[in-house]
Amino acid sequence: MPRAFIFVLDSVGTGHAPDAAQYGANQGTDAGSNTLGHIAEACAAGNADGDALRSGPLKLPNLVKLGLGRAAALAGGDVPPGLELDGDTDGAYASMIETSNGKDTPSGHWEITGVPVNFGWHFFPDTQPTFPADFTSAIIREGDIPGVLANRHASGTQVIEEFGHEHIMTGMPIIYTSTDSVIQIAAHEEFFGLDRLYALCATVRKLVDPLNVGRVIARPFVGKTADTFERTGNRRDYSVPPPASTLLDIAQDDERAVFAVGKIADIFAHRGVTDIRKASGNDAMMDATLQAMDDAADGDLVFTNFVDFDTEYGHRRDVAGYAKCLEDFDKRVPELLAKVRDGDLMVFTADHGNDPTWAGTDHTREQVFALLTGPQIPIGSCGTRDTFADIGATVAAHLDLPWSAAGTDMLADAK
């Protein structure tokens, strides 16, 4: 029986979605955003040569051989500079259009696994304060804290630099949001306590359930001054569960093992997961993924989110850092391919965009790529798909799982 692997390169969008004009922050809409394309253009122009981190055109030979450049061309109209390919790809490729409401992590991942978000999330207004007074009072009362800091839309790294010292001195956690349906709570691991932060986030999760807020995220940090504050790998997401059975639930119900690497378990509220592998940083998550692939038996699913693209570089609008992160990931792709056995299916994709050249610090509404490879996977284009859910349907068909969720098998016509 075959195995399947889904690897999400968090935020690596390939060109604005058809409805991108309906999305965006105060600086404008997401129409025209293109995470991969704009990074490649910056590299080709010599504008992403960051302090000896990297230089020259974007170099992703392994992903390009799988069809990345051609998938990007389906979305953006042209192959991004440096991602051209002579000859055939080593598998099938497609561009995916999101149908879910939103451009956030849960919406993208749930749709990938067959459950598009067709309801409206609750978003907090870009005002100061952003949270309603009665809600803030409930957090203080139920969380047993002296007060809150920030209480506004903010970038995670900047808000910690600004309020970190006051947080240490007062014991008040830093609570903020963004254009996503999210509440983020930052607190110092030593002076506030990691377990206490987790308990506070669990309390806030219950308080926001009636509002239908997608996630409450614990953002622990360390350091003693603004120039030494640093977020740690002990992030934890408290998500609402998907509204219907996902590919993970279906696989678990069929007594398959589902390995969740990185923040996958949190995204799905730990539902449909049989084995959780936590790690901090792309390299550590790659190591954990390789081990999970070794441990996966026939019929099993391994699902990994590689988060550094988004959290470390996209939100920080660091073009050179994002480019180097892509290149570092590409160098390790052969390690993943070496684990593929006869009958396996490996899928590389993304969940949304986060164009580091775009205004603001939020996600961008974009199409994403799907690269499908394996010994029996046909070669060539699967075109532009009208939902991310085609990935879930394709994986389910490959694993011979029952499927009544959204999406269609994109390899069906090629088999």
Side-chain angles (χ1 to χ4, degrees), residues 119-362:
F119 55 83
W121 295 109
H122 179 81
F123 302 95
F124 294 101
D126 191 2
T127 58
Q128 294 189 42
T130 188
F131 303 119
D134 57 347
F135 175 64
T136 303
S137 297
I139 294 175
I140 295 170
R141 181 181 65 253
E142 299 297 327
D144 191 23
I145 53 176
V148 304
L149 297 172
N151 195 352
R152 70 185 194 206
H153 282 231
S155 162
T157 53
Q158 294 173 358
V159 80
I160 290 171
E161 291 177 4
E162 182 176 352
F163 292 101
H165 179 71
E166 187 176 356
H167 159 69
I168 292 172
M169 298 303 295
T170 65
M172 293 188 289
I174 304 164
I175 304 184
Y176 58 103
T177 187
S178 68
T179 57
D180 287 344
S181 180
V182 65
I183 295 174
Q184 307 209 48
I185 305 179
H188 199 283
E189 287 197 359
E190 178 184 351
F191 296 104
F192 191 85
L194 188 59
D195 289 341
R196 186 181 177 201
L197 173 59
Y198 290 159
L200 175 61
C201 288
T203 296
V204 174
R205 173 71 268 170
K206 293 178 182 177
L207 292 173
V208 299
D209 277 347
L211 297 178
N212 199 31
V213 171
R215 289 180 292 169
V216 175
I217 304 178
R219 288 289 196 178
F221 66 98
V222 294
K224 294 184 178 180
T225 60
D227 58 348
T228 61
F229 289 143
E230 181 180 8
R231 295 195 297 196
T232 74
N234 292 319
R235 162 184 172 159
R236 184 174 294 179
D237 292 33
Y238 296 77
S239 300
V240 295
S245 291
T246 69
L247 172 68
L248 282 65
D249 297 306
I250 294 167
Q252 184 184 39
D253 289 346
D254 204 58
E255 299 183 348
R256 315 293 183 88
V258 178
F259 295 81
V261 184
K263 65 178 184 178
I264 292 296
D266 290 348
I267 294 168
F268 290 88
H270 291 236
R271 207 179 73 188
V273 173
T274 65
D275 191 307
I276 298 173
R277 308 284 175 102
K278 286 289 187 180
S280 178
N282 276 6
D283 275 335
M285 282 185 281
M286 179 67 76
D287 293 339
T289 298
L290 293 169
Q291 184 60 57
M293 293 177 73
D294 285 341
D295 297 338
D298 289 348
D300 292 348
L301 172 65
V302 177
F303 197 176
T304 304
N305 174 284
F306 292 94
V307 72
D308 284 3
F309 308 103
D310 187 54
T311 60
E312 298 300 317
Y313 307 107
H315 286 299
R316 300 185 187 192
R317 295 304 186 244
D318 182 352
V319 177
Y322 205 132
K324 185 176 187 300
C325 192
L326 283 165
E327 291 172 340
D328 288 345
F329 180 87
D330 187 81
K331 290 174 183 175
R332 300 200 66 180
V333 167
E335 297 177 59
L336 297 170
L337 297 175
K339 299 286 185 181
V340 173
R341 303 197 303 235
D342 190 59
D344 287 348
L345 168 64
M346 182 176 291
V347 182
F348 296 87
T349 189
D351 54 343
H352 50 70
N354 198 343
D355 189 340
T357 73
W358 215 240
T361 59
D362 295 310

Side-chain angles (χ1 to χ4, degrees), residues 1-91:
M1 184 180 296
R3 304 176 302 167
F5 314 105
I6 303 175
F7 303 139
V8 177
L9 282 63
D10 200 310
S11 86
V12 185
T14 50
H16 70 267
D19 60 357
Q22 301 173 30
Y23 292 80
N26 292 335
Q27 295 85 353
T29 75
D30 289 344
S33 60
N34 186 338
T35 299
L36 182 64
H38 288 160
I39 291 170
E41 289 171 4
C43 291
N47 296 328
D49 298 347
D51 297 330
L53 289 174
R54 63 160 316 280
S55 63
L58 188 62
K59 305 173 187 69
L60 306 176
N62 297 299
L63 291 172
V64 165
K65 184 60 176 171
L66 294 174
L68 179 62
R70 293 180 183 177
L74 290 172
D78 297 297
V79 175
L83 305 188
E84 300 86 359
L85 173 68
D86 292 329
D88 292 332
T89 59
D90 283 346

